[in-house]
Amino acid sequence: MLVGTGVAVMAPAILRAQPRLASTPFTLGVASGYPRSDRVVLWTRLAPTPLEGGGMPDTPVDVAWELAEDERFARVAARGTFRATTAEAHSVHVEAGGLQPARPYWYRFHAAGHTSPVGRTQTAPADTAKPERLRLALASCQQYEQGWFSAFRHMAAEPLDLVVHVGDYIYEMSWGQRHVRKHGAANPTTLPEYRDRYALYKSDPDLQAAHAACPWVVTWDDHEVENDYTNDRSPMTSDRSFFLRRRAAAYRAWYEHMPVPPSMAPNGPNARIYDSWRFGDLVDLFLLDDRQYRAHHACTEGKGGRAMYTDCAERLDPKRTMLGAAQETWIRDELARSRGRWTLIAQQTLMAETNRAAASANEPSYWMDGWDGYPAARQRLLDAMAARRNANHVVLGGDVHMYAVADLRAGNGPVIASEFVGTSITSQGPSAERVRTLSARNPHLKYVRGDKRGYVLVDITPTACQAHFDVVNDVTDPKTGKSRLASFAVAAGKPGPVPA
Ligand code: FE
Ligand code: CA
């Protein structure tokens, strides 16, 4: 038996013959994700020197894992060995199966004479269960240089069932003012460079604590590859094959560092990461990928790439897609099949139409990189939501580095869904002046706040979905406290958020 006695941990026999490493390879922490009612994904990566390529010998290493019903590993529920290879940067993606629904488990890894920290995870309720509550945190946009990840330390202390991360997990570029720390490297374009960028971010202890506290589901936005890329097009180069090689490297490094199942390993520059989860009869969760398959930016052709707010007829073209044909069909069918009292549609960015014109401008202005650059596709998604009657649709987003609350309607019709957009973990938000203009020009946005960093705590019961905007007091202070900026609620059967 592989039992932690609290005194010493014995490595399984299979590992005793392996080379021992002088220092621990578990520098990037542990993580879990993709919880189902009978299984969960366990993740780690062996990297004794994480910021310099990892520092592993160029040989496969067997990593033993164990998952137990208790924190002291007295009752082990599942265990096995995973062969970590150089080709995957010695990352570990274990799908631990045969588990009980809706219960916590603890897990850890052993390799090369070392034992990892312990992570806590949790399975989803059975499809037939009637859960009384689901609590999740919504996170996005964590530029490493612009602040400490204290929001994650506070998140880790919450009793959460799930973290939903909607992108900008890393930033490929250095930007912003008042940096508290530095990337210390140029923008990555190759696989080793993206690996080092992920390792830098994942070496943060607060981020590690949030991963070790509960399972995550993750999608990406643009900065996991390059700012404002669309599908196969880069705003920085017209060399499509160079950009697709860069995208392939970025997608692979993303996979190597996320608690996602082995089936999600990218194939060159392609990776299917959109997915759905069921939490009994309470919640159907959908996680979308609005970067990989989208049409190129409208109205920017021949304007040198800095025309992101210039409107033109092309923007309204019904052929323009945000999700791509396959994903659009998938989400339409999934929404039609969904049975949950609530549906959560988690995706990258603000969905409500937003006039971004400056205070002095006469004409409305739309941002071509958001849903406003794809209004026909947004309409089709809202139609797919409206087609399911008696559902309570909640859209969750990020990307804009400000909190936003909105009713989502098709034209002047009834409210179809309620939207909550989280601010960033650290990334700097729009100026007070811009937020004032945005609020004045868009009265349908019920709340906009861009000056605070944090996350959204979403608390769902059969009768209500509450969203709490929890922020750190000072993102430049590694020991900062937190406070609650605002709360909104949606009552079941009555779409539209109201202050709570
Ligand atoms: Fe961002
Ligand atoms: Ca973004």
Side-chain angles (χ1 to χ4, degrees):
M1 267 297 269
L2 218 192
V3 173
T5 60
V7 178
V9 179
M10 279 275 286
I14 186 172
L15 299 184
R16 281 183 212 134
Q18 294 225 335
R20 298 173 79 83
L21 292 164
S23 65
T24 181
F26 297 109
T27 57
L28 302 178
V30 299
S32 72
Y34 291 65
R36 307 288 177 183
S37 59
D38 63 343
R39 62 193 191 278
V40 67
V41 173
L42 310 178
W43 175 93
T44 192
R45 181 186 159 205
L46 309 180
T49 58
L51 308 185
E52 296 128 42
M56 288 296 289
D58 186 14
T59 51
V61 175
D62 286 325
V63 181
W65 58 272
E66 50 184 338
L67 178 130
E69 294 176 357
D70 64 301
E71 231 167 320
R72 297 173 64 84
F73 292 84
R75 298 187 306 280
V76 172
R79 63 153 62 89
T81 311
F82 183 95
R83 178 150 293 186
T85 63
T86 306
E88 295 200 339
H90 292 94
S91 63
V92 175
H93 297 84
V94 168
E95 210 156 21
L99 308 181
Q100 299 301 309
R103 66 150 297 151
Y105 289 97
W106 287 262
Y107 62 95
R108 65 186 173 192
F109 304 89
H110 311 274
H114 298 270
T115 294
S116 76
V118 172
R120 180 196 170 283
T121 189
Q122 193 172 303
T123 44
D127 283 3
T128 53
K130 300 185 181 308
E132 284 172 7
R133 166 160 270 152
L134 182 77
R135 291 177 100 247
L136 65 88
L138 172 68
S140 65
C141 294
Q142 49 203 48
Q143 217 282 357
Y144 181 84
E145 301 170 307
Q146 294 175 16
W148 302 102
F149 290 168
S150 308
F152 281 126
R153 186 176 69 254
H154 292 293
M155 195 185 288
E158 297 277 357
L160 292 174
D161 299 305
L162 191 68
V163 170
V164 178
H165 198 292
V166 293
D168 290 355
Y169 187 101
I170 60 159
Y171 279 71
E172 90 291 8
M173 63 197 277
S174 181
W175 61 281
Q177 294 108 40
R178 301 181 304 277
H179 290 174
V180 301
R181 49 188 174 175
K182 292 287 184 185
H183 281 152
N187 295 7
T189 59
T190 65
L191 180 53
E193 290 165 355
Y194 277 108
R195 282 171 174 163
D196 281 359
R197 183 57 52 88
Y198 275 97
L200 177 67
Y201 278 55
K202 292 191 78 89
S203 64
D204 184 281
D206 293 335
L207 178 57
Q208 290 187 12
H211 272 298
C214 74
W216 287 38
V217 299
V218 288
T219 187
W220 52 40
D221 193 26
D222 51 345
H223 287 288
E224 281 85 350
V225 181
E226 180 187 48
N227 186 36
D228 289 349
Y229 83 96
T230 51
N231 194 325
D232 60 352
R233 183 178 287 182
S234 157
M236 303 300 283
T237 173
S238 57
D239 185 341
R240 178 173 175 272
S241 73
F242 169 81
F243 178 68
L244 284 178
R245 282 198 304 280
R246 185 179 184 186
R247 192 177 101 174
Y251 282 9
R252 176 148 289 280
W254 177 88
Y255 167 75
E256 290 170 352
H257 293 86
M258 292 296 139
V260 298
S263 59
M264 275 172 61
N267 180 11
N270 305 305
R272 181 185 153 156
I273 67 164
Y274 56 89
D275 209 341
S276 65
W277 288 262
R278 180 161 288 178
F279 295 88
D281 70 351
L282 185 63
V283 170
D284 284 308
L285 167 66
F286 306 101
L287 196 60
L288 305 183
D289 174 1
D290 81 13
R291 275 287 154 195
Q292 189 176 178
Y293 314 105
R294 60 160 74 188
H296 301 141
H297 291 138
C299 314
T300 58
E301 206 74 63
K303 292 179 188 153
R306 291 259 54 102
M308 297 290 278
Y309 295 90
T310 314
D311 202 2
C312 72
E314 182 195 3
R315 189 175 73 88
L316 305 174
D317 185 341
K319 289 197 293 293
R320 294 181 54 68
T321 180
M322 186 68 142
L323 303 176
Q327 186 179 193
E328 219 176 271
T329 303
W330 170 83
I331 186 66
R332 196 184 59 217
D333 292 349
E334 288 270 321
L335 282 166
R337 264 201 306 270
S338 66
R339 293 287 171 269
R341 191 165 179 81
W342 298 88
T343 69
L344 299 183
I345 296 120
Q347 46 80 53
Q348 285 73 9
T349 190
L350 175 64
M351 196 172 286
E353 181 178 275
T354 307
N355 177 1
R356 301 198 182 231
S360 57
N362 296 319
E363 298 293 316
S365 173
Y366 299 104
W367 185 42
M368 296 303 148
D369 194 61
W371 279 98
D372 283 335
Y374 306 81
R378 174 173 54 200
Q379 180 67 50
R380 291 193 295 273
L381 181 54
L382 288 170
D383 289 345
M385 290 183 214
R388 191 190 147 198
R389 293 168 205 278
N390 308 324
N392 296 286
H393 299 297
V394 175
V395 171
L396 303 175
D399 179 47
V400 290
H401 306 173
M402 61 185 191
Y403 286 112
V405 176
D407 291 339
L408 291 174
R409 311 168 185 264
N412 294 321
V415 179
I416 292 166
S418 309
E419 175 166 31
F420 297 111
V421 171
T423 187
S424 55
I425 294 291
T426 56
S427 305
Q428 286 159 8
S431 68
E433 163 66 26
R434 270 195 70 67
V435 168
R436 257 197 309 280
T437 309
L438 207 68
S439 295
R441 289 199 181 274
N442 298 278
H444 60 284
L445 298 181
K446 297 177 171 183
Y447 182 88
V448 187
R449 185 87 189 248
D451 60 325
K452 287 290 184 181
R453 315 277 67 90
Y455 53 94
V456 184
L457 190 66
V458 183
D459 192 350
I460 304 169
T461 66
T463 56
C465 171
Q466 291 211 312
H468 305 292
F469 298 164
D470 285 356
V471 296
V472 296
N473 299 329
D474 179 0
V475 77
T476 67
D477 172 9
K479 301 215 179 312
T480 185
K482 73 156 188 172
S483 51
R484 183 156 287 177
L485 210 54
S487 295
F488 284 82
V490 184
K494 205 167 178 300
V498 294

mmCIF file of all heavy atoms in Angstrom, residues 141 167-168 171 175 221-223 399 401 427, ligand 1:
data_model
loop_
_atom_site.group_PDB
_atom_site.id
_atom_site.type_symbol
_atom_site.label_atom_id
_atom_site.label_comp_id
_atom_site.label_asym_id
_atom_site.label_seq_id
_atom_site.Cartn_x
_atom_site.Cartn_y
_atom_site.Cartn_z
ATOM 1 N N CYS A 141 -7.326 37.325 -17.531
ATOM 2 C CA CYS A 141 -6.425 38.469 -17.731
ATOM 3 C C CYS A 141 -5.468 38.718 -16.565
ATOM 4 O O CYS A 141 -5.732 39.530 -15.672
ATOM 5 C CB CYS A 141 -7.243 39.720 -18.025
ATOM 6 S SG CYS A 141 -8.110 39.590 -19.599
ATOM 7 N N GLY A 167 -9.388 33.129 -20.194
ATOM 8 C CA GLY A 167 -8.328 33.521 -21.102
ATOM 9 C C GLY A 167 -7.451 34.682 -20.676
ATOM 10 O O GLY A 167 -7.720 35.372 -19.710
ATOM 11 N N ASP A 168 -6.379 34.886 -21.464
ATOM 12 C CA ASP A 168 -5.253 35.750 -21.114
ATOM 13 C C ASP A 168 -4.618 35.229 -19.815
ATOM 14 O O ASP A 168 -4.345 35.975 -18.879
ATOM 15 C CB ASP A 168 -5.650 37.228 -21.012
ATOM 16 C CG ASP A 168 -5.984 37.832 -22.379
ATOM 17 O OD1 ASP A 168 -5.823 37.138 -23.397
ATOM 18 O OD2 ASP A 168 -6.389 39.009 -22.421
ATOM 19 N N TYR A 171 0.480 36.524 -20.807
ATOM 20 C CA TYR A 171 0.585 37.577 -21.826
ATOM 21 C C TYR A 171 1.893 37.352 -22.549
ATOM 22 O O TYR A 171 2.942 37.186 -21.907
ATOM 23 C CB TYR A 171 0.521 38.972 -21.209
ATOM 24 C CG TYR A 171 -0.900 39.399 -20.917
ATOM 25 C CD1 TYR A 171 -1.612 38.803 -19.887
ATOM 26 C CD2 TYR A 171 -1.543 40.359 -21.697
ATOM 27 C CE1 TYR A 171 -2.927 39.169 -19.638
ATOM 28 C CE2 TYR A 171 -2.851 40.730 -21.438
ATOM 29 C CZ TYR A 171 -3.551 40.133 -20.420
ATOM 30 O OH TYR A 171 -4.848 40.491 -20.177
ATOM 31 N N TRP A 175 3.493 45.154 -21.400
ATOM 32 C CA TRP A 175 2.827 46.451 -21.623
ATOM 33 C C TRP A 175 2.353 46.978 -20.276
ATOM 34 O O TRP A 175 2.469 46.297 -19.255
ATOM 35 C CB TRP A 175 1.644 46.319 -22.604
ATOM 36 C CG TRP A 175 0.546 45.412 -22.148
ATOM 37 C CD1 TRP A 175 0.546 44.035 -22.202
ATOM 38 C CD2 TRP A 175 -0.708 45.774 -21.563
ATOM 39 N NE1 TRP A 175 -0.620 43.537 -21.692
ATOM 40 C CE2 TRP A 175 -1.416 44.581 -21.300
ATOM 41 C CE3 TRP A 175 -1.308 46.997 -21.241
ATOM 42 C CZ2 TRP A 175 -2.689 44.576 -20.705
ATOM 43 C CZ3 TRP A 175 -2.580 46.982 -20.660
ATOM 44 C CH2 TRP A 175 -3.253 45.784 -20.407
ATOM 45 N N ASP A 221 -7.845 33.157 -24.674
ATOM 46 C CA ASP A 221 -8.177 34.305 -25.496
ATOM 47 C C ASP A 221 -6.981 34.569 -26.420
ATOM 48 O O ASP A 221 -6.313 33.612 -26.821
ATOM 49 C CB ASP A 221 -8.561 35.512 -24.621
ATOM 50 C CG ASP A 221 -9.214 36.607 -25.455
ATOM 51 O OD1 ASP A 221 -9.804 36.291 -26.496
ATOM 52 O OD2 ASP A 221 -9.124 37.796 -25.086
ATOM 53 N N ASP A 222 -6.683 35.814 -26.720
ATOM 54 C CA ASP A 222 -5.632 36.091 -27.706
ATOM 55 C C ASP A 222 -4.210 36.033 -27.153
ATOM 56 O O ASP A 222 -3.306 35.530 -27.805
ATOM 57 C CB ASP A 222 -5.866 37.448 -28.384
ATOM 58 C CG ASP A 222 -6.098 38.596 -27.411
ATOM 59 O OD1 ASP A 222 -6.363 38.327 -26.226
ATOM 60 O OD2 ASP A 222 -6.024 39.759 -27.840
ATOM 61 N N HIS A 223 -3.994 36.525 -25.911
ATOM 62 C CA HIS A 223 -2.615 36.672 -25.437
ATOM 63 C C HIS A 223 -1.903 35.349 -25.171
ATOM 64 O O HIS A 223 -0.688 35.339 -24.981
ATOM 65 C CB HIS A 223 -2.568 37.573 -24.197
ATOM 66 C CG HIS A 223 -2.801 39.019 -24.528
ATOM 67 N ND1 HIS A 223 -1.869 39.793 -25.173
ATOM 68 C CD2 HIS A 223 -3.885 39.815 -24.347
ATOM 69 C CE1 HIS A 223 -2.346 41.014 -25.349
ATOM 70 N NE2 HIS A 223 -3.575 41.053 -24.862
ATOM 71 N N ASP A 399 -11.763 39.611 -20.710
ATOM 72 C CA ASP A 399 -11.051 40.302 -21.791
ATOM 73 C C ASP A 399 -11.012 41.818 -21.692
ATOM 74 O O ASP A 399 -10.030 42.444 -22.086
ATOM 75 C CB ASP A 399 -11.641 39.893 -23.155
ATOM 76 C CG ASP A 399 -10.981 40.594 -24.338
ATOM 77 O OD1 ASP A 399 -9.742 40.638 -24.366
ATOM 78 O OD2 ASP A 399 -11.700 41.099 -25.203
ATOM 79 N N HIS A 401 -11.112 43.851 -19.057
ATOM 80 C CA HIS A 401 -10.445 44.395 -17.864
ATOM 81 C C HIS A 401 -11.345 45.351 -17.091
ATOM 82 O O HIS A 401 -10.877 46.320 -16.494
ATOM 83 C CB HIS A 401 -9.120 45.098 -18.232
ATOM 84 C CG HIS A 401 -8.193 44.230 -19.027
ATOM 85 N ND1 HIS A 401 -7.027 44.689 -19.576
ATOM 86 C CD2 HIS A 401 -8.262 42.917 -19.358
ATOM 87 C CE1 HIS A 401 -6.416 43.710 -20.218
ATOM 88 N NE2 HIS A 401 -7.161 42.625 -20.097
ATOM 89 N N SER A 427 -4.467 42.740 -14.989
ATOM 90 C CA SER A 427 -4.258 43.588 -16.177
ATOM 91 C C SER A 427 -4.965 44.926 -16.040
ATOM 92 O O SER A 427 -6.125 44.984 -15.624
ATOM 93 C CB SER A 427 -4.749 42.867 -17.429
ATOM 94 O OG SER A 427 -4.128 41.608 -17.541
HETATM 95 FE FE FE B 1 -6.613 40.649 -21.177
#
